[in-house]
Amino acid sequence: MTGTDQSSFLGRISIRRNQVNAMEGYHEQEIEDLELFQKQLSDRFAELLSAPDDAPTEAFLSISWIRKLLDVFLCCETECKAILLMERDAAQISKPPLDRLIPELLERVVKAMDICNAATNGVELVRHCQKLAEIAVSALEQKPFGEGQARRAKKALVSLMSAMHVDDKESSVQKTAERSWSFGRRSGNKDRHHGHYRSLSWQVAKHWSASKQIHAMTMNLAAPRGPEASCLPAPVYILSLIIVFVMWVLIAAIPCQERSGLTTHLPINKHVNWTHSLAGIHDKIGEEWKKKEKKGMAGLLYEMQKMEKLGQSLIEFTDSYQFPGEKEKLDEVAAQVAELAEVCRRMDEGLVPLQMLIREAFHRLVRNRTEFLDVLEQGAPVV
């Protein structure tokens, strides 16, 4: 959806809310708004699902794909909040079942904030891998190329593979990177180096688990039934599910602490029309995760998987290299080095904007949690 389309949708909501709520047909108009919103959700996630598997600039789970996912999340969040809150009497939000559903949503938001912070730091690990790959590329591009350059390249590539193949347990991950915590429950930015990796802010708790966060976020997450499926509980459910889903994708794609069993923690109701593409993305990522999980890896990010494949091949080359080398093999390696250099270039262009988008999602969650709390306070009955 373009910015113009979103403005039109939000304007439509605002105009209707300014009309008298008791007017004939008002509830039917709200149902129509909700159906339009669900149609837009379906279209957005269908576009994400249709991304090619091997088109470097826009491949499924590539940096650019994750950025599109976050853009979709930010749009959905804005529109869903408008449906729930724009020009609406606060007392409506404090009535059952919303008096239970909204606090549950806000608990998910808190956990999502921590995942955003963990993912932001995970992007730093990806950037560390990028730097190691660039060292290897620099050595392998040297002319003339000799055994000294091969040793230098091998050293960088071995470090790269070591950084990528974490076993996802808290002890191993913390040797590679210090994680952040959204509320700074452990104070202070230590600004120290751990395995050539600098932490951004606060340490995460020693036994913090990304997969357990997702599991906790799915508790009591069930699609509304009967009359509730066409009134306010529906957008609360939609927003909750989208938050959980986007955080799950971030954890699967980007290095995070303790992700074992991640595929078992995300129930999606496939009987709801707008979730079909969501379920398709979930199944696609789940299958890929099952293939990779036992090996231990930094995540399913497309560029990292390409880097891993190229890095392993180039290690084999540096292991067996003897000056001056066979021309045919050197030509094959040159093509791989060029491909690795291109992966590094895309990382260099895309990782900082990706990190900024994750931070924007974090700050949006903070602001909206505050807005919902304010509305709940306004609608609370006077004692």
Side-chain angles (χ1 to χ4, degrees):
M1 175 186 274
T2 65
T4 302
D5 291 337
Q6 186 175 63
S7 297
S8 175
F9 180 78
L10 297 179
R12 169 193 176 108
I13 298 291
S14 180
I15 291 170
R16 294 211 171 156
R17 297 291 160 78
N18 281 316
Q19 296 171 346
V20 180
N21 286 8
M23 65 176 276
E24 184 178 354
Y26 179 79
H27 181 61
E28 286 72 16
Q29 289 178 340
E30 285 214 314
I31 293 174
E32 187 179 326
D33 291 339
L34 185 59
E35 289 176 347
L36 176 59
F37 174 56
Q38 291 175 330
K39 170 67 166 57
Q40 291 167 350
L41 283 178
S42 179
D43 291 345
R44 289 166 178 160
F45 283 105
E47 183 178 348
L48 287 167
L49 179 59
S50 66
D53 290 327
D54 198 28
T57 57
E58 54 186 30
F60 187 74
L61 285 179
S62 64
I63 293 170
S64 63
W65 189 92
I66 299 291
R67 288 168 62 185
K68 288 178 183 177
L69 174 70
L70 288 168
D71 282 334
V72 166
F73 166 69
L74 292 171
C75 286
C76 293
E77 186 275 337
T78 298
E79 293 161 9
C80 204
K81 189 182 71 171
I83 292 172
L84 283 166
L85 300 183
M86 185 181 285
E87 306 294 342
R88 190 182 292 281
D89 183 355
Q92 289 183 273
I93 304 299
S94 299
K95 293 177 180 178
L98 294 186
D99 61 338
R100 171 180 56 84
L101 296 176
I102 296 293
E104 288 177 355
L105 167 64
L106 298 185
E107 282 298 312
R108 294 183 185 105
V109 166
V110 171
K111 292 176 173 58
M113 287 155 61
D114 283 326
I115 292 173
C116 283
N117 248 336
T120 299
N121 283 330
V123 174
E124 284 295 319
L125 177 57
V126 177
R127 290 173 69 182
H128 171 58
C129 291
Q130 173 201 337
K131 298 304 179 187
L132 290 171
E134 287 172 347
I135 293 171
V137 167
S138 176
L140 291 164
E141 287 180 338
Q142 289 290 314
K143 303 293 183 185
F145 183 81
E147 293 180 7
Q149 286 77 20
R151 285 193 296 272
R152 182 166 180 259
K154 180 182 176 181
K155 183 178 179 180
L157 290 166
V158 168
S159 296
L160 172 62
M161 292 298 106
S162 177
M164 294 180 74
H165 287 81
V166 294
D167 66 6
D168 249 13
K169 300 301 180 185
E170 49 93 2
S171 58
S172 296
V173 173
Q174 293 223 3
K175 289 177 183 177
T176 309
E178 292 180 15
R179 304 301 185 200
S180 70
W181 194 254
S182 65
F183 290 111
R185 293 166 190 163
R186 296 192 175 191
S187 62
N189 185 345
K190 303 300 183 182
D191 194 30
R192 60 186 174 183
H193 288 71
H194 233 10
H196 309 292
Y197 173 85
R198 180 179 172 181
S199 76
L200 287 179
S201 49
W202 302 278
Q203 296 179 42
V204 76
K206 183 179 180 181
H207 299 294
W208 188 87
S209 164
S211 60
K212 286 180 181 178
Q213 292 287 98
I214 293 294
H215 180 65
M217 291 171 76
T218 62
M219 298 296 289
N220 301 318
L221 181 59
R225 297 180 179 180
E228 290 185 356
S230 59
C231 54
L232 288 178
V236 176
Y237 166 74
I238 290 171
L239 184 54
S240 286
L241 182 58
I242 297 236
I243 289 173
V244 175
F245 178 77
V246 171
M247 295 305 115
W248 178 82
V249 175
L250 285 181
I251 289 171
I254 298 171
C256 282
Q257 180 174 304
E258 223 299 290
R259 297 174 294 180
S260 58
L262 190 61
T263 55
T264 63
H265 295 326
L266 193 60
I268 295 178
N269 183 356
K270 298 181 181 181
H271 301 296
V272 181
N273 287 338
W274 71 267
T275 64
H276 290 170
S277 296
L278 208 70
I281 295 171
H282 174 259
D283 291 345
K284 195 171 181 179
I285 293 175
E287 287 302 312
E288 194 63 27
W289 184 265
K290 288 175 185 176
K291 295 176 190 175
K292 301 278 185 179
E293 183 176 20
K294 292 181 181 179
K295 298 179 182 179
M297 42 72 195
L300 297 179
L301 194 67
Y302 175 82
E303 286 81 2
M304 289 287 274
Q305 294 198 71
K306 293 293 288 186
M307 187 175 282
E308 178 185 21
K309 183 179 179 181
L310 291 165
Q312 288 172 341
S313 178
L314 290 170
I315 284 177
E316 292 175 6
F317 165 72
T318 57
D319 266 340
S320 60
Y321 176 77
Q322 289 184 334
F323 184 82
E326 299 176 5
K327 183 180 184 307
E328 184 178 344
K329 183 62 177 177
L330 290 175
D331 289 344
E332 178 187 332
V333 166
Q336 292 178 337
V337 171
E339 190 175 356
L340 184 57
E342 175 61 18
V343 171
C344 291
R345 185 193 64 78
R346 291 200 304 273
M347 285 182 163
D348 195 52
E349 290 180 353
L351 285 176
V352 171
L354 172 60
Q355 203 169 47
M356 291 174 66
L357 261 179
I358 296 172
R359 285 172 174 161
E360 182 180 347
F362 171 88
H363 290 296
R364 181 76 67 84
L365 289 166
V366 172
R367 288 195 302 271
N368 289 339
R369 182 173 183 271
T370 302
E371 288 181 39
F372 273 109
L373 287 172
D374 288 344
V375 170
L376 287 175
E377 186 176 350
Q378 292 168 21
V382 178
V383 179

